[in-house]
Amino acid sequence: MKQIFKNISGLKSMFTLFLGRFLPLALFTLLAGGAIFLLERSSHLDLLYKFGKIQSVDERSPLTCALQQHQLVTISTVTLLALLIAAPIAWMRALRQRNDLIVEHQNRENLRSIKLLLDSTIEGIYGTDEKGRCILANRSCARLLGYSSPEQFLGKNMHQLMHHSHADGTPYPETECRAHRMITIGTAPALVTDEVFWRQDGSAFPVSYSVHPIQEQDRIIGMVCTFVDISERRQLEDQLRHAQKMEAAGQLAGGIAHDFNNILQIISGNTQILQYDLKQTSPDPPQLQEILKAVERGTALTRSMLAFSRKQTINSIPLELNQLVKDSQLLAQKLLHKNTTLHLELTEAALIITADEVLLQQVLFNLITNARDAMPTGGTITVATAERLLDEQSIGGTKDRKPGTYAVLMVQDTGQGIPEEIRQKIFEPFFTTKEVGKGTGLGLAMVYGTVKQHGGFVQVESQTGQGSCFSVFLPTVAACLMPNRNGTP
Amino acid sequence: MALILLIDDDPQVRTVLKGFLQIGGHRVVEAENGRQAQKQLLAEQVDLVITDIVMPESDGFEVIMSSACTDTPPKIIAITGGSPNLTQQTLLAIAQRMPVNKVLAKPVTCEALLTAVQDALAAPAPHKLS
C-alpha cells in the first residue's frame, strides 16, 4: 500500500491536484466579482444621473467616491467569502480524484498479478460464459492445445473446439459434457481423468481436469476449467504395470523351478533305469531316447525361466562384444535354414561390457532363432554392433534406464514385422506367436530378464512388412578392466 | 559295492536315485528328511550319504553340518533342484563351500551319479570338523 501512495504522490501530488481544482474556481470568482463591480457601478451611476444627483457619469464627487468605496468593500468581501468556500470544495474534489487514482492503480496492479498467476501455471485454465463461449484463457491452455496465443480462444465455444469427441473418435455432444454440466445443472465431478482434449492439429491427449463455477447472486453464469496433460503419467503407469506383471511372472517361475526339476528327475531317472533293464534282453527302444531328449529340453526351459525371474546367479566378466559375436557365428549358423543368410556388421570400436558370456550368447541365439522364425520363407539376418551415448534426453525419463555409454547388439530380420498391438507383449513369458509345439514362448522373456540383470534394456523397432530390429543395450565399462587374454602387456 | 544312505523328501525321486545306485551295484538305505537320516546314521555305519538340500523338518545343510561333526564323518554328495526362495545355483554354491565331496544339480543322469559315487568312495576319508 505504501508503495502505491508513493507512486501516486510521485504521479500527481495532492498540492497540484488541489491547485488544478482551485485555480479555475478562484479565477472565475475574481472575474465574476470584477464583472459585478463594473455592472453595479455603471447601473448606480446611471440612476444617480437620472435623478440629477450628478451632472455626468464620469463626474468625480464625494458621492461617487463613497459609492465606489462601498462597492469595493462589499464586493471584495463577497468574493473573498466565495474563495473561502471554493477552497474546501476544490480540496474535496482533489481528494476524491486522488482516491480514484489509487483505486484505478490498484485495479491495474491486481489485474497484472492475476494475469501473471494465470500465465505462470503449468495447468491450462480457461473460463466460459453460460453458453460455453470462452471468456478467459491462460498461456498454458494455448500451449497444451497447440495454439499460439490464448486470445485465439476468446468468444469461441470451447467444447466444440477441443472436447468434441471421445478418445475413440465418437462424438461427444455438449449436452453430455461433464465440464459443461457445471453450468447447466450446477454440479460436476471433482476430477475427470478418463477423457481426452483435442489439439488444433487434430491429435488428442489424455487429460485430467476439474471445473469451478462462476457465480453471480446465486446464479451460475459460467465456469472455469483447469486441466493438465497426463500422457506422461499414463505412460509411467503402463510401464509400472508391465514391470509388476513381469516381476510376478518371474516369482512364479522361480517358485515352480524346484518342483519342475524334481519331476524331470523322476521322468529321466525312470527312463534311464528302464533303458538299463531293457538293454539286458533286447535293443534299446528309440522312444526312450526321445523321452530323454524331451527332459533335456525341459531342463533348458527351467534354466530360461530362472534367467527370466532374475534369480539366476550370473558370472559376469569383462568381455568384448564384437569378439563374442564372432565366436558365436559358427554356432549361430547351425540354427539357420539354408534359405537364410547371416550377415555381420560389426563396429570397429572395441565394446567392453561386463556380462555372463554363456547367458549373453544365449540372448544372441534366442534373438537369431526368433528372427529365423519370423522369416519362414527365408531372408537375411543382420547382426550389428554399435556404441551409443545416451543422455538424459534420449532416455526420456524412463526409470530403469541410466544415461551413459552403451554397447548395442542389434539383430535385424527381413520378415513380416511385429504388429503394434503385440509389441508390448512379446517379452512376457509364454507369449508366442508361433504355432503350438514350435515355441515355448520363453525365448524373448529370457532375453528381457537376462539383459535387465546385466543393467541393460531391449528396444524393438518394427514396421509391418519391413522386418524387425531388436536392440540390446548393455552398459560399457572402461577398457582397462579388460583382461589381456594373450597374457602380454 | 557300498552302503549308501539316500535322503530325499520326494518318494518318487528316492525310487529313481535308488534305482541308479542299484544299477551301480550299491546297497541303499533311505530317509525322507534330515531327522530320520540322523537316526539311520546312528544305527548303521554307511560309506556314503547322498542328500537332497531342500527338505521339510531338517534340511540337507543340517545333515551335512551335523554329520561332519561326528567322530567318523561320512562322505557326502549333495544334490538339489533349487527351492522356491533360493535358486539351484545359489544352493549349489553354498553346498560347495561345505564339507561335501560333490555337489550335483537335478535332474542328474545315472552316469553322472554313479561317477560321482565312484569318485567319492575313492576319495580319502574326511576329517572331523571342529
Side-chain angles (χ1 to χ4, degrees), chain A residues 27-78:
Chain A
L27 199 67
F28 176 75
T29 316
L30 286 173
L31 282 174
I36 290 166
F37 173 79
L38 287 176
L39 272 170
E40 209 185 44
R41 183 173 159 74
S42 85
S43 60
H44 273 95
L45 286 175
D46 274 354
L47 274 174
L48 287 177
Y49 176 69
K50 268 185 189 162
F51 288 112
K53 298 281 182 191
I54 52 171
Q55 300 308 309
S56 82
V57 287
D58 298 322
E59 186 190 278
R60 288 187 70 87
S61 66
L63 192 62
T64 56
C65 280
L67 179 71
Q68 195 174 351
Q69 229 166 19
H70 167 75
Q71 270 188 319
L72 266 177
V73 170
T74 50
I75 290 172
S76 307
T77 314
V78 170

Side-chain angles (χ1 to χ4, degrees), chain A residues 322-389:
Chain A
N322 292 314
Q323 194 58 48
L324 180 118
V325 176
K326 279 184 222 158
D327 290 347
S328 315
Q329 191 181 2
L330 218 67
L331 262 173
Q333 209 86 52
K334 287 192 177 154
L335 295 169
L336 305 178
H337 309 299
K338 277 185 191 141
N339 55 9
T340 308
T341 46
L342 183 69
H343 175 64
L344 298 191
E345 263 178 36
L346 306 181
T347 170
E348 302 255 306
L351 301 170
I352 316 292
I353 51 171
T354 321
D356 183 307
E357 206 165 357
V358 180
L359 281 175
L360 199 58
Q361 203 172 41
Q362 194 60 50
V363 165
L364 178 62
F365 289 163
N366 279 7
L367 290 176
I368 290 176
T369 312
N370 261 293
R372 177 200 68 193
D373 295 343
M375 305 184 293
T377 54
T380 308
I381 297 173
T382 308
V383 177
T385 56
E387 191 174 39
R388 292 273 162 78
L389 184 71

Side-chain angles (χ1 to χ4, degrees), chain A residues 244-258:
Chain A
Q244 281 170 338
K245 210 154 70 177
M246 299 297 259
E247 192 81 36
Q251 275 172 1
L252 187 71
I256 63 171
H258 167 242

Side-chain angles (χ1 to χ4, degrees), chain A residues 81-245:
Chain A
L81 261 169
L83 282 177
L84 274 177
I85 294 164
I89 291 173
W91 182 260
M92 296 282 276
R93 290 187 57 180
L95 209 64
R96 197 181 304 154
Q97 190 171 11
R98 193 186 66 152
N99 284 342
D100 285 351
L101 275 171
I102 290 171
V103 170
E104 196 184 315
H105 191 84
Q106 272 175 335
N107 284 345
R108 239 192 339 252
E109 284 287 315
N110 285 348
L111 219 66
R112 225 167 60 113
S113 50
I114 288 168
K115 196 164 157 43
L116 192 71
L117 263 177
L118 275 177
D119 285 341
S120 60
T121 60
I122 295 174
E123 291 87 357
I125 302 172
Y126 70 86
T128 71
D129 61 14
E130 51 205 318
K131 294 221 169 77
R133 286 175 305 216
C134 183
I135 49 172
L136 64 96
N138 70 345
R139 253 184 239 163
S140 285
C141 177
R143 179 178 50 82
L144 289 168
L145 295 171
Y147 288 79
S148 52
S149 83
E151 284 76 25
Q152 287 174 280
F153 298 116
L154 296 178
K156 297 213 174 101
N157 183 300
M158 288 307 272
H159 181 87
Q160 280 158 20
L161 198 71
M162 43 55 103
H163 206 191
H164 46 75
S165 307
H166 290 289
D168 58 4
T170 54
Y172 189 2
E174 194 173 1
T175 44
E176 288 171 22
C177 175
R178 288 196 267 175
H180 194 69
R181 237 179 254 177
M182 178 54 85
I183 301 168
T184 49
I185 58 172
T187 52
L191 196 68
V192 178
T193 53
D194 55 352
E195 290 185 357
V196 293
F197 278 180
W198 296 83
R199 296 189 191 93
Q200 192 182 25
D201 62 6
S203 59
F205 60 90
V207 74
S208 156
Y209 71 80
S210 63
V211 187
H212 188 78
I214 306 174
Q215 278 173 314
E216 198 181 71
Q217 293 161 351
D218 297 337
R219 201 170 69 85
I220 296 172
I221 55 156
M223 59 104 177
V224 175
C225 177
T226 311
F227 66 96
V228 279
D229 180 348
I230 55 168
S231 316
E232 207 174 316
R233 200 199 300 169
R234 277 283 150 80
Q235 213 176 336
L236 286 174
E237 279 169 1
D238 285 348
Q239 270 176 12
L240 182 68
R241 213 171 299 131
H242 187 240
Q244 281 170 338
K245 210 154 70 177

